[in-house]
Amino acid sequence: MNARISPAPAQSDLEAFWMPFTANRQFKANPRLLTRAEGMHYWTADGRQVIDAVAGLWCVNAGHGRREINEAVARQLSVMEYAPAFQMGHPIAFELANRLAAIAPPGMDRVFFTNSGSESVDTALKIAIGYHRARGAGQRTRFIGREKGYHGVGFGGMSVGGMVNNRKFFGSSMLPGVDHLPHTLDIGHNAFSRGLPQWGMHLANELERLVALHDASTIAAVIVEPISGSAGVLLPPVGYLKRLREICDKYDILLIFDEVITGFGRAGKPFAAQAFDVTPDLMTTAKGLSNGAIPMGAVFTQRKVYDAFMQGPENTIELFHGYTYSAHPVACAAALATLDIYTKEELLTRAAALSPTWEDAVHSMRGLPHVIDVRNYGLIAAVELEPSAGTPGARAFEVFLKCFERGVMVRQTGDVIALSPPLIVERGHIAQIVETLSQVIRETA
Ligand SMILES: Cc1ncc(COP(=O)(O)O)c(C=O)c1O
């Protein structure tokens, strides 16, 4: 074991790290430190075992401490720790792209590598603009996102996203020419839906309104998460994504699915596009691609998108875009080992098999105090709590803290407790997660 990660830092040693998406002062006054992980569990600095009900941050789909990934990473580090992918190549990058193309939705067999979900989103937006420009429609620069959407923290992703805090803080620096569809969460109509909600397909028709407002000739792409996680698990109503696809086709608008959370088995198929039988033009991924072990992201595109760029003199760089660490060899090695595990253990479809058990378990929380909705799909669930008066999010935060004290790590966003366990989760783990969460909700005022 690496001795450098073992000792818990003293309180005074916590100051230098400016923690992301964290209430720094609150955390540092009462830190929650994780020091080891294996299978379905973390261990805390004070030696407590905590079950991981959120796959780290929706990324550790094959569970923690996978020996095969660790060994592949170590092997690659010793053979070649880095190689550039600009005007150079290394074999495993091509191997990985081919392996990914083989599990992708129909026709999505061109892959651009990034290092995160945010980079994947900004890359996809740039590809969408470049695609239209390459076809002589350079005026198509507008994007349509969706309220409550989360597409990472780059300026592009924030602009098409619909998170109020991002928009409030950075609104003046957003991309121009972005509009938003309404979100699809409607507890009034859909509370306690099992699987996809029946009500709300018509919300996709709002795209027709935006096309009429801006004119199709100005719109490059629509970007949505098939299921959004970060805003508190928002599900697409039955038929909604198909309708979006139809409208995009009608007006030659590209459809981008942000599958950073739903990719790699979360929805019961390799990608949510396959689970919902709707194929986008571009698909952004990260997280489960490398099981969270080494940062990596990938943008999948339809071949027609790639082909549109492949014209003009052969010595021109067709897409003026890339990252120093695009297709990093160590990340490629981690991703290949991850894919091997997914295949061998049939993890990319396991969520579908477990989904009925998961659904029954999470819906058993209906009727608990303050629970105003439970929603689920694949191995995803949300329990929405009534906000306590004047302090939105406080009740759910208390639930998150108490669960952690009792050995279950959940995720809190606003008044929602989100659950997305590693895809290796067993029935006993599901029971433990739901029992602890139920108990805590009962005890929380
Ligand atoms: C749908 C979606 N897109 C993009 C991102 C950003 O990914 P990253 O944090 O790797 O930049 C996330 C992160 O949760 C996400 O859920």
Side-chain angles (χ1 to χ4, degrees):
M1 183 164 330
N2 182 349
R4 287 174 59 189
I5 59 171
S6 298
Q11 196 106 9
S12 56
D13 291 339
L14 300 176
E15 285 306 322
F17 177 22
W18 188 341
M19 298 174 69
F21 276 125
T22 296
N24 274 254
R25 287 158 301 159
Q26 184 188 45
F27 179 95
K28 288 170 186 178
N30 192 8
R32 298 173 289 283
L33 295 171
L34 305 170
T35 53
R36 188 164 83 80
E38 195 181 322
M40 282 293 300
H41 294 96
Y42 281 110
W43 279 262
T44 63
D46 54 356
R48 288 187 310 110
Q49 190 187 47
V50 176
I51 190 166
D52 180 2
V54 279
L57 211 45
W58 308 74
C59 48
V60 188
N61 288 3
H64 295 277
R66 297 306 303 250
R67 186 183 44 78
E68 304 90 321
I69 302 174
N70 302 347
E71 287 174 359
V73 165
R75 222 171 17 248
Q76 185 58 45
L77 278 170
S78 65
V79 172
M80 183 172 73
E81 85 294 358
Y82 176 76
F86 298 0
Q87 303 284 34
M88 295 296 298
H90 47 275
I92 55 170
F94 295 92
E95 184 187 346
L96 177 59
N98 287 328
R99 287 280 299 279
L100 290 171
I103 61 165
M108 304 204 75
D109 58 4
R110 295 294 180 262
V111 183
F112 192 100
F113 289 113
T114 72
N115 308 289
S116 67
S118 300
E119 288 182 2
S120 289
V121 168
D122 281 12
T123 298
L125 299 178
K126 289 169 84 170
I127 291 176
I129 286 180
Y131 166 80
H132 289 295
R133 188 183 163 88
R135 297 166 72 236
Q139 79 288 352
R140 282 190 182 254
T141 54
R142 189 179 285 282
F143 294 113
I144 308 292
R146 193 166 57 186
E147 295 163 1
K148 289 187 187 284
Y150 182 67
H151 301 291
V153 291
F155 281 104
M158 278 194 310
S159 305
V160 293
M163 298 296 240
V164 178
N165 274 335
N166 278 346
R167 307 190 66 76
K168 186 171 72 181
F169 276 85
F170 308 112
S172 59
S173 316
M174 299 265 179
L175 291 184
V178 176
D179 213 334
H180 290 77
L181 292 162
H183 68 76
T184 60
L185 181 64
D186 191 312
I187 293 181
H189 285 97
N190 290 327
F192 302 103
S193 294
R194 288 173 167 250
L196 298 191
Q198 292 296 327
W199 183 93
M201 172 186 163
H202 65 279
L203 294 169
N205 293 330
E206 286 294 306
L207 182 54
E208 285 279 11
R209 189 180 62 77
L210 295 179
V211 169
L213 176 66
H214 299 296
D215 198 78
S217 68
T218 68
I219 303 175
V222 169
I223 179 166
V224 292
E225 303 151 272
I227 297 173
S228 73
S230 303
V233 181
L234 274 60
L235 300 168
V238 172
Y240 172 91
L241 294 172
K242 276 205 161 74
R243 185 75 191 113
L244 278 189
R245 176 73 273 183
E246 284 164 12
I247 301 171
C248 286
D249 283 345
K250 183 168 154 194
Y251 297 109
D252 206 12
I253 296 169
L254 293 175
L255 179 60
I256 306 172
F257 277 178
D258 185 347
E259 294 233 22
V260 167
I261 270 177
T262 49
F264 301 99
R266 182 62 50 202
K269 289 271 172 77
F271 299 96
Q274 293 147 328
F276 299 137
D277 195 21
V278 178
T279 306
D281 300 294
L282 295 103
M283 196 168 74
T284 53
T285 68
K287 299 202 188 248
L289 166 57
S290 51
N291 207 40
I294 302 283
M296 188 173 217
V299 179
F300 293 65
T301 81
Q302 287 286 347
R303 191 175 303 185
K304 74 165 187 194
V305 174
Y306 176 84
D307 286 348
F309 285 83
M310 299 301 135
Q311 45 181 317
E314 285 197 356
N315 64 350
T316 47
I317 292 173
E318 298 97 351
L319 177 62
F320 215 70
H321 179 71
Y323 302 96
T324 298
Y325 301 125
S326 282
H328 192 289
V330 180
C332 289
L336 281 169
T338 301
L339 289 181
D340 286 343
I341 294 174
Y342 288 158
T343 307
K344 190 162 144 228
E345 300 179 10
E346 299 181 359
L347 292 182
L348 296 183
T349 49
R350 191 157 186 274
L354 268 183
S355 178
T357 305
W358 176 249
E359 181 172 290
D360 284 346
V362 295
H363 279 273
S364 72
M365 290 183 273
R366 181 176 186 166
L368 293 180
H370 311 300
V371 171
I372 56 172
D373 191 19
V374 176
R375 30 189 197 269
N376 68 287
Y377 194 88
L379 270 174
I380 303 175
V383 181
E384 181 145 359
L385 304 174
E386 197 177 5
S388 40
T391 51
R395 180 173 281 140
F397 187 70
E398 192 181 332
V399 167
F400 154 73
L401 284 183
K402 282 187 186 159
C403 281
F404 186 70
E405 281 160 18
R406 296 193 199 174
V408 177
M409 190 170 100
V410 300
R411 175 117 181 97
Q412 172 246 342
T413 18
D415 288 292
V416 171
I417 297 294
L419 303 172
S420 57
L423 306 175
I424 58 165
V425 67
E426 297 289 351
R427 287 178 165 72
H429 300 128
I430 295 175
Q432 184 196 344
I433 292 165
V434 170
E435 264 166 38
T436 305
L437 180 55
S438 302
Q439 190 65 32
V440 165
I441 291 175
R442 265 189 222 105
E443 292 170 14
T444 303

